């Protein structure tokens, strides 16, 4: 029997790194399969799931703008947004190959491959049990996909933002540089901002803080962790209002 979940509607943020092998770029269907298996298990719990894709496995707009000659920053950011659509298409077909119904919505109009993002239409798809993949960021340059995820969560009134990463959660310092870095089980939005912790970008944190949407940062590569996060199990790090932080966190 499927485990019940405390969250009815979830916004899952997956970075571009989730679409390729560690240290590589491009697309790896084996890596995408790791995501697909876990997403399918979540949908079997009856959770309404929207997914925001990053595109760093193909191109990061900001970084590309910094190193390229002759390409303006807005153009580089649009190129990065198009990379997220490529990832969204791959994820859509992979999910539908295992009988998970999906819709791909893009913030940049491209009717041949994706629906436009319309909030009411997105709501209806979610209510019907379809996984909605939200691609192309916000459709405007100079905005990260983290912020697109936070804004999307506010628009669709998600109960939580799950940030799937390849690390176990939020640390006090980079654990690769300091083996004594502390892994937080819970931390407030304010502390994330004051300590300049690299959870999500500052704008994304502010949006979640304003709407009091919890963020769960966790390692999706451990089998079943997405379903555990949806079920409210204490994995990774939860970012919450200060008033909700438990005394033993």
């Amino acid at each position: 029997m499927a485990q019940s979940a405390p969250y009815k509607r979830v916004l899952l943020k997956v970075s571009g790194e989730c679409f390729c092998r560690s240290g590589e770029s491009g697309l790896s269907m084996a890596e995408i399969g790791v995501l697909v298996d876990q997403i399918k298990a979540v949908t079997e719990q009856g959770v309404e799931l929207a997914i925001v894709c990053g595109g760093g496995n193909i191109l990061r707009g900001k970084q590309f703008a910094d190193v390229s000659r002759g390409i303006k920053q807005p153009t580089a950011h649009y190129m990065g947004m198009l990379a997220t659509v490529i990832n969204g298409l791959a994820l859509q077909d992979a999910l539908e190959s295992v009988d998970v119904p999906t819709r791909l919505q893009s913030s940049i109009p491209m009717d041949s491959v994706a629906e436009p993002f319309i909030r009411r239409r997105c709501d209806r798809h979610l209510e019907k049990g379809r996984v909605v993949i939200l691609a192309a960021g916000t459709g405007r340059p100079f905005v990260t996909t983290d912020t697109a995820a936070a804004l999307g969560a506010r628009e669709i009134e998600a109960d939580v933002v799950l940030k799937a990463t390849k690390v176990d959660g939020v640390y006090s310092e980079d654990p690769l540089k300091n083996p004594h870095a502390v892994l937080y089980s819970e931390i407030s939005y304010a502390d994330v901002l004051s300590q300049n912790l690299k959870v999500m970008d500052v704008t994304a944190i502010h949006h979640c803080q304003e709407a009091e949407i919890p963020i769960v940062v966790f390692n999706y590569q451990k089998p079943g962790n997405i379903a555990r996060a949806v079920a409210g199990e204490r994995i990774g790090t939860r970012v919450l209002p200060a008033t909700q932080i438990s005394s033993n966190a």
Side-chain angles (χ1 to χ4, degrees), residues 25-124:
S25 59
L27 293 170
S28 165
M29 293 312 296
E31 291 296 319
I32 294 171
V34 173
L35 271 178
V36 165
D37 290 343
Q38 294 199 56
I39 291 168
K40 181 178 175 64
V42 168
T43 62
E44 290 171 349
Q45 297 181 23
V47 174
E48 296 176 359
L49 181 64
I51 303 173
V52 170
C53 300
N57 57 309
I58 299 171
L59 185 146
R60 293 183 186 276
K62 183 179 186 304
Q63 292 178 0
F64 189 68
D66 291 342
V67 301
S68 63
R69 296 180 60 185
I71 295 181
K72 295 182 179 180
Q73 281 196 353
T75 303
H77 281 267
Y78 280 116
M79 292 167 69
M81 284 182 259
L82 295 178
T84 72
V85 178
I86 294 173
N87 284 342
L89 286 166
L91 182 59
Q92 180 178 41
D93 272 15
L95 284 168
E96 292 187 343
S97 74
V98 294
D99 301 320
V100 176
T102 71
R103 292 293 186 273
L104 176 63
Q105 296 194 331
S106 171
S107 296
I108 297 176
M110 47 184 74
D111 295 343
S112 295
V113 297
E115 296 179 358
F117 173 74
I118 299 172
R119 180 179 59 82
R120 287 178 178 270
R121 183 181 292 179
C122 180
D123 275 340
R124 187 61 175 150

Side-chain angles (χ1 to χ4, degrees), residues 109-209:
M110 47 184 74
D111 295 343
S112 295
V113 297
E115 296 179 358
F117 173 74
I118 299 172
R119 180 179 59 82
R120 287 178 178 270
R121 183 181 292 179
C122 180
D123 275 340
R124 187 61 175 150
H125 288 323
L126 293 170
E127 289 167 357
K128 285 180 171 289
R130 298 164 184 153
V131 172
V132 181
I133 302 167
L134 304 174
T138 64
R140 301 302 299 271
F142 310 111
V143 181
T144 69
T145 51
D146 278 350
T147 293
L151 288 170
R154 295 190 73 172
E155 277 199 85
I156 67 172
E157 298 182 323
D159 300 314
V160 66
V161 172
L162 302 183
K163 181 163 183 179
T165 71
K166 293 186 176 182
V167 296
D168 289 333
V170 180
Y171 287 84
S172 58
E173 300 177 62
D174 186 341
L176 297 178
K177 296 179 180 179
N178 181 2
H180 302 294
V182 176
L183 173 63
Y184 296 110
S185 61
E186 292 180 346
I187 189 169
S188 68
Y189 308 109
D191 284 342
V192 166
L193 294 170
S194 66
Q195 297 179 40
N196 194 29
L197 300 175
K198 305 303 181 183
V199 179
M200 303 175 87
D201 70 73
V202 170
T203 305
I205 296 294
H206 277 301
H207 276 294
C208 290
Q209 181 180 36

